[in-house]
Each structure stands twice: as C-alpha cells, then as structure tokens.
C-alpha cells in the first residue's frame, strides 16, 4: 500500500527498490547529516552563480507534477541559463528546475535531516552537468546532476520574496496543472544572502524519487531560508497529489526518509 509520504500512484519508499533497482543501492539520498562527524574539505570554496542575480526574469512556469510543485528554470524567458561553478564542483552545471519537499500541518517535511532533526521544508534546485545535452543523458553518468538543497525556517512574518510562488499555488492545486507566474523575479531572491552561502555540506548521492539514479553531487546549505508560517501552510493545505477529476488526496509528507550513509563521507566547507 502507498505510504503517507508518497502520492497514490507510487508505492511507498520501502517498495521503490522493487520498481527501480537503484533505489536499493549503497549511495542513496537523502541522508541524515551528523554535524559533528563531517570532514572539513578546504577544496569546498565559494560558488559562482551565473544569471541568478541578473535582471528579474520570467515568465516562470509553476507545475504540480503529483509529487511536488516545480518551478521550471530552463531558459526562463529565453534570457540565458542559470548556472553554477566553483563550490568544489569539477564542472559547470545549469539549472533545470526547483521544487519543494514539506510535511503536514503538525510535522516537518525536509528530506535531509541535521543531527536527526527534520526541518520544516526543503527546496531543491536541480542542475545538469554542461557536459550533457539532456536529463536522460545526465542521469546515466556519475556527477551528471548537482542539486542545491536549502532548508527553511518558519517565522511569523511572510518572506515577501516567496509571494509570487505562494500565490501561484492555488492555480496548480491539482496534479497536471501548471501556470505562468504573474511576476518576474531574480532567482537569488529566493535564496539566503550570498555571503551566507559559503557554508555547506557535500556528499555524493542519488535522486530521491525513482529511479533513484546515483548521479547527484549534493550540496546542503547550512543557512536556512526564512518563510512565513502562513506561507508554509499554503503548501501543506493547497496542493493535491490527485488530478482534478479524482477523489482528493492531499500532497503532504512528500519526502523520502533518510537512507543509509554506508561507506560515504559528508564533507563540510571551511567557512
Ligand atoms: C521531484 O519529484 C521532482 O519533481 C522531479 O523532477 C525530480 O526528478 C525528483 O523530485 C527527484 O529530484 O532533487 N528530490 S530530487 O532528488 O529532477 C528530477 C522531475 O521529474 C530528475 C522533472
Ligand atoms: Zn527534491
């Protein structure tokens, strides 16, 4: 039977290895990060963000894919790509999309955990190695993808930078719905201040949904993004995992539980 944290069309995470062999692999994501057990890596320098700060972009397309709500980042408005370099990465990577993982009205829903603590929500900005031409191709190569993961922390006051996305949610309540967002914005406005992005964790892992390909260079930033309590509640209450013509199933707890770290190491940036 489907578990609470997967959409009705997917079996629960404990059954994923039956549908996709990699989901039972030894380098899976997410993981719990024991902050006292990370290894300092002086090679983990600052990122260079390209296009993240250029003039407000758009139009942005928001999509409910039944598992999460996703903002498409591929050549938004034909204004060139959003790319990253540095940060200890050996190639440059350009953004495909970002999406979120959250919990329920009474529980947190991040995928990665810190010292065993699940955080309120987590955003993933999925980037593809510029050596490859398509997601399909990148999924076939180690380090084919680089995902930047950001935790959220809840505050009483709204984070105005999230207003455009949050107000778009009710237009994509049901699986398969998508909408072009009304306002343009700079991607960097969704992130913590640039100077706070030099502190992060790094490990090698996988996509957190089937087929769980072990091709992801993960970066988990220490600094959380503030979000208003009411804004987070919109994710939890507005979105449905079901299509418009089916019995409603709330999209909640759309995180995969922590996977064994095995022989892997988590590295920490020096600052
Ligand atoms: C979500 O289901 C996204 O919507 C997927 O995006 C994504 O797959 C999947 O999560 C796994 O990504 O950063 N959580 S994750 O490991 O990005 C991919 C799409 O299906 C391939 C486009
Ligand atoms: Zn994700």
């Amino acid at each position: 039977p489907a578990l609470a944290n997967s959409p009705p069309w997917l079996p629960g995470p404990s059954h994923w290895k039956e549908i996709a062999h990699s989901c039972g692999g030894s380098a899976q994501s997410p993981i719990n990060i024991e902050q006292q057990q990370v290894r300092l890596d002086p090679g983990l320098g600052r990122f260079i963000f390209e296009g993240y700060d250029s003039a407000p972009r758009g139009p942005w397309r928001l999509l409910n894919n039944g598992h999460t709500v996703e903002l498409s980042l591929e050549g938004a408005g034909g204004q060139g790509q959003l790319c990253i370099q540095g940060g200890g990465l050996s190639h440059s990577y350009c953004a495909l999309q970002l999406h979120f993982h959250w919990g329920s009205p009474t529980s947190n829903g991040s995928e990665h955990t810190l010292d065993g603590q699940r955080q309120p929500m987590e955003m993933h900005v999925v980037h593809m190695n510029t050596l490859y031409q398509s997601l399909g191709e990148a999924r076939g190569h180690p380090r084919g993808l680089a995902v930047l993961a950001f935790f959220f922390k809840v505050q009483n006051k709204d984070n105005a930078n999230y207003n455009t996305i949050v107000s778009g949610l009710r237009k994509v309540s049901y699986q398969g719905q998508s909408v072009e967002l009304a306002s343009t914005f700079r991607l960097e406005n969704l992130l913590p201040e640039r100077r706070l992005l030099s502190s992060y964790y790094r490990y090698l892992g996988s996509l957190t949904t089937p087929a769980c390909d072990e091709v992801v260079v993960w970066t988990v930033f220490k600094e959380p993004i503030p979000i208003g309590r009411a804004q987070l509640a919109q994710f939890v209450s507005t979105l449905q995992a079901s299509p418009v013509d089916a019995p409603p199933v709330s999209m909640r707890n759309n995180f995969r539980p922590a996977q064994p770290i095995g022989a892997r190491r988590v590295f920490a940036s020096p600052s």
Side-chain angles (χ1 to χ4, degrees), residues 71-267:
L71 185 71
S72 172
L73 299 175
E74 276 176 285
Q79 297 153 56
Q81 300 189 81
L82 300 156
C83 304
I84 52 172
Q85 295 176 57
L89 300 171
S90 39
H91 298 94
S92 66
Y93 291 76
C94 297
L96 300 175
Q97 45 102 345
L98 64 80
H99 62 266
F100 302 86
H101 300 268
W102 61 87
S104 77
T106 54
S107 58
N108 287 349
S110 69
E111 294 215 296
H112 291 90
T113 52
L114 291 176
D115 302 327
Q117 298 297 303
R118 196 171 302 290
Q119 308 298 308
M121 181 160 81
E122 184 171 334
M123 178 171 78
H124 291 156
V125 190
V126 181
H127 297 75
M128 182 173 78
N129 191 319
T130 54
L131 289 175
Y132 308 119
Q133 307 302 314
S134 68
L135 177 59
E137 187 187 0
R139 286 173 82 143
H141 297 272
R143 296 183 163 79
L145 299 172
V147 181
L148 303 186
F150 298 90
F151 295 120
F152 287 81
K153 68 170 177 208
V154 178
Q155 61 181 26
N156 289 326
K157 191 168 144 295
D158 280 356
N159 176 344
N161 293 328
Y162 276 81
N163 284 348
T164 305
I165 290 177
V166 170
S167 47
L169 297 180
R170 60 189 165 74
K171 297 175 188 146
V172 297
S173 298
Y174 296 95
Q175 186 202 329
Q177 292 184 326
S178 76
V179 69
E180 215 158 75
L181 295 180
S183 315
T184 60
F185 53 88
R186 296 172 213 265
L187 189 58
E188 83 171 352
N189 290 349
L190 297 182
L191 310 183
E193 267 180 74
R194 182 82 51 115
R195 67 184 173 82
L196 300 172
L197 298 180
S198 56
S199 284
Y200 58 86
Y201 299 114
R202 164 65 44 76
Y203 78 98
L204 298 177
S206 73
L207 292 172
T208 66
T209 60
C212 309
D213 313 73
E214 294 180 340
V215 299
V216 180
V217 183
W218 279 95
T219 303
V220 179
F221 289 94
K222 293 186 198 171
E223 181 68 21
I225 301 168
I227 190 153
R229 201 174 302 283
Q231 292 179 308
L232 178 54
Q234 290 296 310
F235 283 85
V236 170
S237 319
T238 310
L239 294 161
Q240 307 292 317
S242 46
V244 66
D245 52 0
V249 178
S250 294
M251 189 184 282
R252 288 181 178 170
N253 300 313
N254 58 352
F255 59 89
R256 185 189 197 191
Q259 302 298 302
I261 188 158
R264 290 176 292 173
R265 272 262 169 202
V266 179
F267 297 93

